[in-house]
């Protein structure tokens, strides 16, 4: 018997970096997915196969001994067969670019937890999310859990460090154009860079955080009123604050300029320094915005907000 599950990628729409210091952020999941297929095998081994490689290991190894981006899957499979006389084979199929800040590892953990544990028993979304966050901690110890949460439940949500997550019930029909700089980015080093900025410019950082807080509250109203053009303007404003924090660079600025000139607004998504930018459009200027990025040789694709979240088959 095979068990299959898929989970979506995510985009941080507003509030990255400031969220680390208590400002509210807005995230959404998008219709690019990772699909995980799990199956019991007679040999007591854990075998994982994906386009980034293969991992075949005996169960009960310490997670600290494993040096592979596939280790969250090992963690989950090992936990699932703890008291079972079976092995597991896992196949991963992904439409999500890797290492681009679009949450591919969280989607892996959520779809992995669902596909693997469903081989043995019925399991709720809440428990899948808990297992996925545990698995993600094997690679990002300090994960806030926001990415796993949005890709489990889907849609748009607010996230605040102290009070957690709140789903936004509206289902707007935005088109997002996501362009990948293909510059590798490290969330950790960008978060450290912002910390340095904050320590050197205490007053300015305090002012920027207040401005960002106000901007996020304005956006939440605009989402309810479905005022896409105004939301685009807020994205451009948010990008200015991110520029001030020092997480942009010439290439990202060039990409954002293309997005801002052809759509309602554009900004970095995630930690910056590389990774992706996104532009906000609707059907009317979707093709034009895509063409502008492509004409400038940028890897890009269009995405819509996903309102399904985790899917199991
Ligand atoms: O890892 P990314 O690129 O999705 O960005 C993480 C978002 C930050 O706000 C920069 C860090 C965080 O932990 O919230």
């Amino acid at each position: 018997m095979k068990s299959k599950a898929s989970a979506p990628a995510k985009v941080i729409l507003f509030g990255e970096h400031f969220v680390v210091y208590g400002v509210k952020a807005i995230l959404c999941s998008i219709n690019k997915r990772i699909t995980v297929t799990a199956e019991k095998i007679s040999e007591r081994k854990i075998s994982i196969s994906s386009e980034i490689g293969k991992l075949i290991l005996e169960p009960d190894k310490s997670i600290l001994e494993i040096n592979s981006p596939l280790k969250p899957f090992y963690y989950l499979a090992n936990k699932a067969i703890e008291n079972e006389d079976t092995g597991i084979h896992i196949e991963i199929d992904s439409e999500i670019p890797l290492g681009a800040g679009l949450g591919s590892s969280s989607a892996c953990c959520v779809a992995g937890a669902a596909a693997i544990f469903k081989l043995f028993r019925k399991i709720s979304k809440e428990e899948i999310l808990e297992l996925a966050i545990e698995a993600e901690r094997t690679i990002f110890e300090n994960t806030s859990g926001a990415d796993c949460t949005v890709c489990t439940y889907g849609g748009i949500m607010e996230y605040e460090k102290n009070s957690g997550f709140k789903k936004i019930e509206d289902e707007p029909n935005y088109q997002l154009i996501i362009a990948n700089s293909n510059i590798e980015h490290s969330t950790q080093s960008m978060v450290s860079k912002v910390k340095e900025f904050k320590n050197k410019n205490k007053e300015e950082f305090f002012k920027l955080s207040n401005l960002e807080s106000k901007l996020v509250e304005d956006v939440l109203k605009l989402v309810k009123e479905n005022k896409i053009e105004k939301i685009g303007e807020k994205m451009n404003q948010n990008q200015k604050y991110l520029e001030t924090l020092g997480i942009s660079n010439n290439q990202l600025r060039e990409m954002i300029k293309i997005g801002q000139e052809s759509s309602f607004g554009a900004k970095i998504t995630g930690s910056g320094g590389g990774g992706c930018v996104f532009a906000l459009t609707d059907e009317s200027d979707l093709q034009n915005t895509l063409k502008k990025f492509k004409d400038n040789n940028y890897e890009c694709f269009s995405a819509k907000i996903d309102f399904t979240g985790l899917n199991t088959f």
Side-chain angles (χ1 to χ4, degrees):
M1 190 195 74
K2 286 189 180 179
S3 156
K4 229 178 184 185
S6 83
K10 71 97 201 347
V11 168
I12 300 180
L13 297 171
F14 292 92
E16 50 275 271
H17 286 292
F18 295 100
V19 69
V20 174
Y21 300 96
V23 173
K24 198 182 278 177
I26 307 175
L27 297 87
C28 72
S29 64
I30 56 168
N31 60 345
K32 290 280 169 203
R33 290 185 163 257
I34 261 172
T35 304
V36 177
T37 310
E39 126 183 72
K40 290 184 193 173
I41 50 174
S42 53
E43 207 181 350
R44 206 170 145 69
K45 287 219 152 104
I46 294 169
S47 114
I48 306 160
S49 171
S50 87
E51 64 198 59
I52 60 163
K54 277 195 162 75
L55 189 67
I56 303 177
L57 292 171
E58 305 282 334
D60 300 327
K61 280 190 163 312
S62 154
I63 205 75
L64 299 171
E65 280 175 50
I66 303 166
N67 183 18
S68 159
L70 298 173
K71 76 177 162 183
F73 291 102
Y74 180 85
Y75 173 85
L76 292 164
N78 197 41
K79 188 159 181 161
I81 62 171
E82 226 166 23
N83 301 313
E84 306 277 343
D85 186 22
T86 182
I88 292 192
H89 175 66
I90 300 161
E91 297 264 351
I92 302 143
D93 195 12
S94 177
E95 307 171 332
I96 309 175
L98 282 175
L102 299 178
S104 66
S105 67
S106 309
C108 276
C109 293
V110 171
I116 293 166
F117 279 82
K118 272 184 174 287
L119 282 174
F120 301 95
R121 58 183 168 93
K122 267 195 152 170
I123 178 166
S124 67
K125 271 195 174 174
E126 289 70 24
E127 202 187 339
I128 290 168
L129 174 57
E130 241 171 70
L131 287 162
I133 294 174
E134 267 176 37
E136 195 173 36
R137 294 222 155 99
T138 66
I139 34 176
F140 303 121
E141 213 184 323
N142 296 322
T143 179
S144 63
D147 285 14
C148 282
T149 305
V150 77
C151 77
T152 301
Y153 295 107
I156 321 188
M157 67 176 206
E158 308 172 15
Y159 171 69
E160 226 175 323
K161 205 171 174 182
N162 294 331
S163 50
F165 320 100
K166 187 171 151 214
K167 195 159 176 176
I168 298 170
E169 295 305 332
D170 305 77
E171 297 199 356
N173 195 22
Y174 309 145
Q175 290 280 358
L176 309 180
I177 309 293
I178 298 170
N180 191 348
S181 69
N182 278 317
I183 303 173
E184 221 177 289
H185 78 310
S186 151
T187 303
Q188 210 176 328
S189 73
M190 286 298 131
V191 169
S192 304
K193 198 168 180 192
V194 171
K195 191 172 179 185
E196 220 173 277
F197 175 91
K198 174 182 171 276
N199 290 341
K200 282 192 189 143
N201 308 277
K202 287 206 168 66
E203 228 170 86
E204 191 176 6
F205 189 83
F206 181 73
K207 266 191 208 151
L208 279 174
S209 296
N210 284 340
L211 287 169
E212 180 73 20
S213 257
K214 162 94 175 60
L215 184 144
V216 167
E217 292 307 326
D218 289 348
V219 170
L220 290 171
K221 283 197 203 105
L222 293 169
V223 170
K224 285 210 178 323
E225 294 160 3
N226 206 15
K227 296 207 165 126
I228 189 168
E229 282 177 44
K230 291 256 180 285
I231 295 172
E233 287 167 20
K234 297 288 177 193
M235 285 171 62
N236 297 346
Q237 190 60 43
N238 195 157
Q239 178 57 29
K240 285 189 187 153
Y241 303 156
L242 293 175
E243 288 284 347
T244 311
L245 294 184
I247 60 137
S248 194
N249 58 37
N250 285 342
Q251 183 172 330
L252 293 175
R253 273 189 283 277
E254 192 184 298
M255 294 168 78
I256 285 157
K257 187 161 178 271
I258 294 168
Q260 291 184 345
E261 281 172 2
S262 55
S263 70
F264 296 124
K267 65 179 272 297
I268 286 171
T269 177
S271 52
C276 291
V277 307
F278 78 101
L280 179 68
T281 72
D282 58 16
E283 296 294 341
S284 67
D285 59 3
L286 168 65
Q287 292 309 331
N288 176 42
T289 309
L290 268 176
K291 185 174 178 308
K292 289 276 159 56
F293 279 110
K294 285 186 177 156
D295 287 350
N296 286 279
N297 297 318
Y298 286 115
E299 192 183 294
C300 61
F301 59 90
S302 69
K304 291 181 80 97
I305 299 177
D306 157 278
F307 296 103
T308 310
L310 170 66
N311 223 342
T312 51
F313 314 95

